[in-house]
Amino acid sequence: MIATSLAGDYPLLDLFWTMAEIFLWILWIFLLVRVIDDIFRDDSLGGGAKAAWAIVVVLLPFLGIFIYLIVRGRGMGERSAKVAQKREEQFRSYVRDAADDGGASHADQLAKLAELRGRGDLTEQEYQQAKAKVLA
C-alpha cells in the first residue's frame, strides 16, 4: 500500500479558493443574522411587513439581503445606535440606584461611589452629583 499525501492532491490555489469561499459563507451568515435581527427589532414595521421581509430574506438569501440593505440599510445603524444608547441609560440608571444604598453609612456610600468612579462606571459629573446627594 502506497501512502499518498493530501497536500499533493490539493494545490495551494485550491486551498486559497476554499478559504475565500468559507470567509464569504461566514460573512453571509453574519449579514443574515444581522438583517433578521434588525427586522424583528424595528418597531416601525408592522407584523405583516416583518413577515414579508423575513420571507424575502430567507427564500431569496443573497438577493433578499442585498435588497434589504439597499432599501433599509441606512436605518440599521440608527436603530442599532438607539438600542445601544437605551442599554447604556439602563446601565447608568442601575449603577446610580446601586450607589444610592439608603441602609449604608455616608462613608460606605462615598466609598462605593469612589469605587464606581474609579472603575469608569460613573463620570466625574455623575460622581459629584451622587456625592452631593449623599452629603445632603
Side-chain angles (χ1 to χ4, degrees), residues 19-51:
M19 287 173 38
E21 287 175 338
I22 291 171
F23 172 75
L24 290 173
W25 184 70
I26 290 171
L27 179 66
W28 176 77
I29 289 175
F30 174 76
L31 282 173
L32 179 66
V33 168
R34 180 91 164 109
V35 165
I36 289 175
D37 180 53
D38 186 65
I39 289 170
F40 288 106
R41 284 189 179 196
D42 188 5
D43 293 334
S44 68
L45 287 177
K50 288 181 183 185

Side-chain angles (χ1 to χ4, degrees), residues 19-122:
M19 287 173 38
E21 287 175 338
I22 291 171
F23 172 75
L24 290 173
W25 184 70
I26 290 171
L27 179 66
W28 176 77
I29 289 175
F30 174 76
L31 282 173
L32 179 66
V33 168
R34 180 91 164 109
V35 165
I36 289 175
D37 180 53
D38 186 65
I39 289 170
F40 288 106
R41 284 189 179 196
D42 188 5
D43 293 334
S44 68
L45 287 177
K50 288 181 183 185
W53 274 115
I55 289 171
V56 168
V57 168
V58 171
L59 293 182
L60 302 170
F62 294 107
L63 187 60
I65 287 176
F66 292 134
I67 291 171
Y68 187 85
L69 290 175
I70 291 169
V71 173
R72 300 183 46 85
R74 182 181 304 258
M76 285 178 71
E78 295 167 0
R79 287 185 292 277
S80 179
K82 284 181 185 176
V83 168
Q85 183 179 14
K86 183 178 177 182
R87 286 182 181 163
E88 179 70 19
E89 289 172 1
Q90 289 173 343
F91 174 74
R92 291 205 179 272
S93 173
Y94 171 76
V95 169
R96 279 189 225 105
D97 291 344
D100 187 26
D101 186 14
S105 69
H106 292 301
D108 291 339
Q109 289 179 2
L110 291 174
K112 186 183 277 188
L113 287 172
E115 179 184 341
L116 289 172
R117 183 185 61 175
R119 287 190 315 210
D121 292 338
L122 290 177

